[in-house]
Amino acid sequence: MIRKLITTVSFILMQTTESYIVSKAITRKLSGHFYKTYQNTELNTSNDNQCLFYTGGSSFIPGELYNSLLHKIADKNITVNVVNKELKDQYILLNTITNKKPTTLIAHSSGAIEALKACNYLDNIKNVVLLDPVDTRFAFDKANKDKIIEPKYKVDDVLFVNAQKSYEWRVFPFKIPFIPMFALTKDNVKFDNKHFITAKQFGHCDVLDFPWGKIMHDTLSEGLNDRDELKIEEYHEWLADVIYNFSVNNTVEVGNDVEYSTN
């Protein structure tokens, strides 16, 4: 009986291992600069599908705060290289990291400006995904704050993925939204094809790992009302699917796990 039970459990674990792809975070060093790569350890680990991920705070926020999302993207066999504050202006190194192969740029919050700036130096960018993008030029580049951002190297497609609660005002109880005055909008950028998805029940910091998103929800940036960790995990999985479909399949396909709009 015990032997049969052990055999059954082993079979279940084997099936589970085969059903869920495992990714891992690897610390790398290039010309004295450290950075993290999230990589699938089960499937083909070549850089055929790859992205550069720009964190919030103009890439000053540690990538470790996005572990859940980055692992879920990597689980789909997209190699994720995190652009930190040391790398964001090192375009020769970024070219080396991506092997000059087609690359998707993904940016959260004020990382958007850093990602769009990179399109002036990297000629291998195939598309851009902006998660709740914030325009920091009003503070750090006032001379160009009203100019339309047009990448030097042609990038056809950009996808805006916005969390609706980042833009909502409320009278009672009073709430000031996190983004609107500083939002980077479709009118601020020049791309041939602009696509839009809005997650209706989520906020600006729900993209972060659950503990950090909860802290922000309880203080500065309201997110999903139901602070169920599994629901945040589902949101990250939904975002990873959106990113995969856009960057790999060149389509804007959205799952039904999260309520959304496309305008």
Side-chain angles (χ1 to χ4, degrees):
M1 181 67 181
I2 294 177
R3 181 178 297 176
K4 183 177 180 181
L5 178 60
I6 293 174
T7 302
T8 302
V9 171
S10 300
F11 175 77
I12 292 172
L13 288 174
M14 182 180 67
Q15 291 295 99
T16 302
T17 302
E18 292 177 351
S19 300
Y20 294 92
I21 301 165
V22 179
S23 60
K24 64 180 179 179
I26 305 167
T27 299
R28 300 186 186 279
K29 185 178 182 181
L30 180 63
S31 297
H33 298 282
F34 290 93
Y35 67 98
K36 281 281 182 68
T37 294
Y38 289 74
Q39 195 169 57
N40 190 296
T41 58
E42 296 289 325
L43 297 179
N44 175 16
T45 56
S46 70
N47 284 340
D48 291 342
N49 299 319
Q50 62 177 346
C51 68
L52 295 175
F53 186 89
Y54 291 76
T55 67
S58 298
S59 293
F60 276 78
I61 293 179
E64 286 78 6
L65 271 65
Y66 299 83
N67 262 321
S68 171
L69 174 63
L70 299 184
H71 274 294
K72 286 175 172 53
I73 296 172
D75 282 350
K76 300 181 186 302
N77 206 27
I78 299 175
T79 298
V80 183
N81 297 297
V82 180
V83 180
N84 56 37
K85 62 182 180 179
E86 295 181 358
L87 281 179
K88 65 178 184 176
D89 297 322
Q90 301 291 330
Y91 301 110
I92 294 175
L93 297 185
L94 292 176
N95 253 322
T96 301
I97 288 170
T98 60
N99 295 309
K100 296 188 177 182
K101 293 183 178 181
T103 301
T104 294
L105 298 186
I106 306 171
H108 177 232
S109 192
S110 52
I113 294 299
E114 301 300 329
L116 293 171
K117 191 192 305 181
C119 295
N120 295 323
Y121 300 93
L122 306 178
D123 61 359
N124 60 324
I125 306 306
K126 64 177 183 177
N127 48 37
V128 177
V129 179
L130 302 177
L131 308 174
D132 261 353
V134 172
D135 192 343
T136 56
R137 292 179 298 168
F138 75 94
F140 303 111
D141 189 14
K142 293 181 179 179
N144 295 308
K145 68 182 179 67
D146 296 320
K147 291 184 178 180
I148 303 295
I149 298 174
E150 182 177 4
K152 175 183 176 181
Y153 293 106
K154 184 177 175 60
V155 181
D156 290 333
D157 295 284
V158 60
L159 172 63
F160 289 78
V161 183
N162 293 334
Q164 185 167 307
K165 286 198 170 183
S166 303
Y167 305 84
E168 291 179 344
W169 292 81
R170 189 172 62 205
V171 176
F172 184 81
F174 182 70
K175 187 196 77 161
I176 298 174
F178 194 75
I179 289 184
M181 292 182 2
F182 316 116
L184 184 77
T185 71
K186 64 178 181 179
D187 297 325
N188 299 131
V189 298
K190 186 173 182 179
F191 287 82
D192 289 343
N193 302 305
K194 303 176 188 180
H195 310 273
F196 308 91
I197 298 173
T198 299
K200 291 187 174 183
Q201 298 178 345
F202 291 85
H204 188 69
C205 294
D206 286 334
V207 68
L208 302 177
D209 285 0
F210 179 77
W212 306 110
K214 186 177 186 305
I215 291 172
M216 294 299 291
H217 171 77
D218 292 337
T219 53
L220 299 175
S221 176
E222 183 180 13
L224 181 69
N225 286 333
D226 183 359
R227 301 312 296 178
D228 182 335
E229 187 168 0
L230 289 178
K231 291 188 180 297
I232 299 299
E233 290 284 330
E234 288 176 359
Y235 179 53
H236 295 166
E237 185 68 36
W238 179 84
L239 285 172
D241 282 335
V242 169
I243 289 167
Y244 175 84
N245 287 324
F246 186 70
S247 64
V248 176
N249 296 331
N250 298 314
T251 61
V252 180
E253 294 184 15
V254 186
N256 295 320
D257 296 331
V258 169
E259 187 180 357
Y260 68 93
S261 65
T262 54
N263 50 34

